[in-house]
Amino acid sequence: MTTTELRATRPIDPDKLMAFVFRAVGEVGATLNTALVVMGDALGFYEAMADGRPTTSTELAERTGTSEHYTREWLAAQAAGDYVTYDPTTGRYVLPAEQAAALTDESSPAYLPGFFQLAHGTVRDADRILGLARDGDGLGWHAHNSDVHDGCERFFRTMYNGHLIGEWLPALDGVVDKLTAGASVADVGCGHGASTILMAKAYPRSTFVGSDYHQGSIDVARARAAEAGVGDRIRFEVAPATGYSGSGYDLVTMFDCLHDMGDPVGAARHVRETITADGTWMIVEPMAGDRTEDNLNPVGRAYYGFSTLLCTPASLSQDVGLALGTQAGPARIRDVATAGGFGRFRPAAATPFNNVLEVRP
Ligand SMILES: C[S@@+](CC[C@H](N)C(=O)[O-])C[C@H]1O[C@@H](n2cnc3c(N)ncnc32)[C@H](O)[C@@H]1O
C-alpha cells in the first residue's frame, strides 16, 4: 500500500480529534501568552498590580504610562489564562499574591519572567532553525538575540540563588571546607557570571576564573562582578571549555552548559588536565532521566523544546558537534566524564529543574 492509501485506512475517533483540537487551542493561547508575559514584565503591568489592589484597565494604563487600548486587551488575555482574576461586577482585575510573587519578586525561587524571556527569544529565532534542520548545521549561542542571553541568566540565576550555596555545594564531598579555607575555582561556560558571582560572594577567601566562549556574555559578566563588588576575586576570560586558562583547580563548575558544547568529551579532558588530583568537577545539567520516557512531562517538554531550537543547534555549530541534547540524562553525562579520564561519578543533588553531578578523578 502507498502512504496515501495507508493514511486513508486509519480510523479517526471524532471525540479524540476534538479533544486534541481544543487542547491545541489552549496551547496557541499559551504560546501567545509568552509574549504577553514578556510585555507585562517589560511595561511594568505586573509590578503595578503586585500590591493586590483591584484595578481597571484605565487605572493600569495611567499607572504604567501606557495606552488603555493595550491594557484592556492584555488584562482580558491574562484573566482568560488565570494569571489575573476578573470581577465582572466592578470591571476590576486582581493579580493574586502567588502570581505576584512568581512574576515580580526576583528573590522568590518561583520567579518566572526569565523563563518566559528565554522562551520568547528562542521562538523568535526559530525560523532560522528550519533550514538547519534539513542540512544538519548548527546555530551558535552567540548568534541568538539578546532575550536568549538575558532570559537565560534571569531564569538560571533564580535556581542558583535558591540552591547553589545552601544545597548543591554542601552536597559535594569536602568542597565547602575547601571553599571556606580558600580554593581555586574555574566556572566554565559561565555566561553572564551569575553562578561565579554568587560563589565569590559566599566564599571571600576563594578565587575564581569565569570563562565562556561568547565575548558578549563575558563583557556582561565583568560588569556584573564589578557592580557586585567581587571584581577583584573573579577573572573573566573569553575561552572555549577545551582551552580555558590555568591549572590546579580545586573545583571546576559547569552550570547548564555541558550539553551546549560541541565537544563535551574534549571539555572533560581539559577539566581532567586542569583539576587537582583531589579536585571536584561539579556539573549542573537540566533535570532529565536517562530514557526518553522519563522526560515526557511538563519540564521535559519545555527542555526538549529548548533542545530542538537552542541547545542542539548550539552544539552542532561547534567542532565535533556531539549534540548531547538538553535531556541527555546522568548516564550519558557519566559516559562523557569517563571518556574524559574521570573515575568517580555521583548524582549529588536534584531539583525539579536541575541534576547536580559530582565528578572526581
Ligand atoms: C545555557 S547557557 C548557561 C550560561 C551560564 N552557565 C548560566 O547558567 O547562566 C550556556 C553557556 O555555554 C556557553 N558555551 C557554549 N559552548 C561553549 C564552549 N564550547 N565553551 C565555553 N562556553 C560555551 C554559551 O556561550 C553560554 O553562555
Side-chain angles (χ1 to χ4, degrees):
M1 261 201 274
T2 66
T3 300
T4 313
E5 286 164 345
L6 268 175
R7 285 176 66 162
T9 63
R10 302 188 73 200
I12 295 213
D13 177 332
D15 291 337
K16 283 188 185 167
L17 177 61
M18 286 323 290
F20 177 67
V21 167
F22 280 111
R23 187 162 72 78
V25 170
E27 294 188 3
V28 171
T31 305
L32 293 167
N33 195 50
T34 300
L36 296 178
V37 171
V38 169
M39 185 176 179
D41 177 47
L43 295 179
F45 293 160
Y46 295 123
E47 191 57 44
M49 296 179 74
D51 60 11
R53 265 184 296 172
T55 186
T56 64
S57 57
T58 306
E59 289 164 356
L60 182 62
E62 278 165 8
R63 262 195 259 167
T64 55
T66 54
S67 157
E68 193 273 338
H69 298 297
Y70 286 88
T71 54
R72 185 185 63 212
E73 301 306 314
W74 183 86
L75 277 167
Q78 296 298 286
D82 285 334
Y83 276 56
V84 303
T85 59
Y86 177 59
D87 181 350
T89 58
T90 61
R92 289 178 179 276
Y93 297 85
V94 171
L95 183 66
E98 294 74 21
Q99 273 85 333
L103 294 164
T104 66
D105 181 0
E106 281 209 45
S107 68
S108 165
Y111 185 63
L112 285 172
F115 206 16
F116 281 96
Q117 187 180 4
L118 175 59
H120 185 53
T122 302
V123 169
R124 280 217 316 283
D125 281 341
D127 57 349
R128 301 165 72 188
I129 302 299
L130 296 186
L132 302 173
R134 290 200 175 92
D135 58 26
D137 283 345
L139 184 71
W141 180 261
H142 63 281
H144 285 281
N145 67 78
S146 60
D147 274 338
V148 168
H149 309 138
D150 296 341
C152 174
E153 179 201 348
R154 289 175 83 196
F155 172 54
F156 285 127
R157 192 176 56 205
T158 301
M159 312 293 151
Y160 308 155
N161 283 341
H163 303 285
L164 174 56
I165 305 302
E167 295 164 33
W168 295 350
L169 290 170
L172 305 175
D173 191 20
V175 164
V176 166
D177 286 347
K178 288 183 191 171
L179 287 167
T180 306
S184 162
V185 182
D187 189 12
V188 178
C190 68
H192 289 183
S195 51
T196 336
I197 292 166
L198 203 56
M199 291 189 287
K201 281 163 101 173
Y203 299 106
R205 292 195 175 165
S206 291
T207 54
F208 299 82
V209 177
S211 61
D212 197 288
Y213 93 119
H214 179 214
Q215 175 78 57
S217 288
I218 289 299
D219 292 344
V220 174
R222 285 189 180 126
R224 294 263 201 282
E227 277 164 30
V230 289
D232 55 331
R233 282 184 301 107
I234 308 179
R235 183 170 61 77
F236 284 109
E237 66 178 18
V238 178
T242 48
Y244 61 84
S245 67
S247 59
Y249 291 109
D250 302 295
L251 175 66
V252 176
T253 55
M254 288 190 193
F255 291 88
D256 288 289
C257 60
L258 184 66
H259 64 275
D260 290 305
M261 295 173 189
D263 185 9
V265 174
R269 261 187 235 111
H270 192 60
V271 176
R272 183 70 187 84
E273 285 159 12
T274 59
I275 205 166
T276 62
D278 187 35
T280 301
W281 178 18
M282 175 168 76
I283 305 173
V284 177
E285 276 287 289
M287 167 50 70
D290 292 324
R291 302 165 307 168
T292 302
E293 57 268 38
D294 299 333
N295 306 320
L296 302 184
N297 52 57
V299 171
R301 187 185 191 196
Y303 282 159
Y304 277 127
F306 284 121
S307 189
T308 310
L309 298 172
L310 197 59
C311 310
T312 298
S315 176
L316 289 171
S317 74
Q318 301 182 14
D319 285 348
V320 181
L322 191 64
L324 279 176
T326 310
Q327 298 285 267
R332 188 82 182 86
I333 304 296
R334 177 188 205 133
D335 290 345
V336 167
T338 306
F342 283 90
R344 289 177 284 170
F345 180 96
R346 179 175 71 90
T351 69
F353 291 100
N354 284 110
N355 274 322
V356 180
L357 309 167
E358 180 189 73
V359 182
R360 305 195 68 183

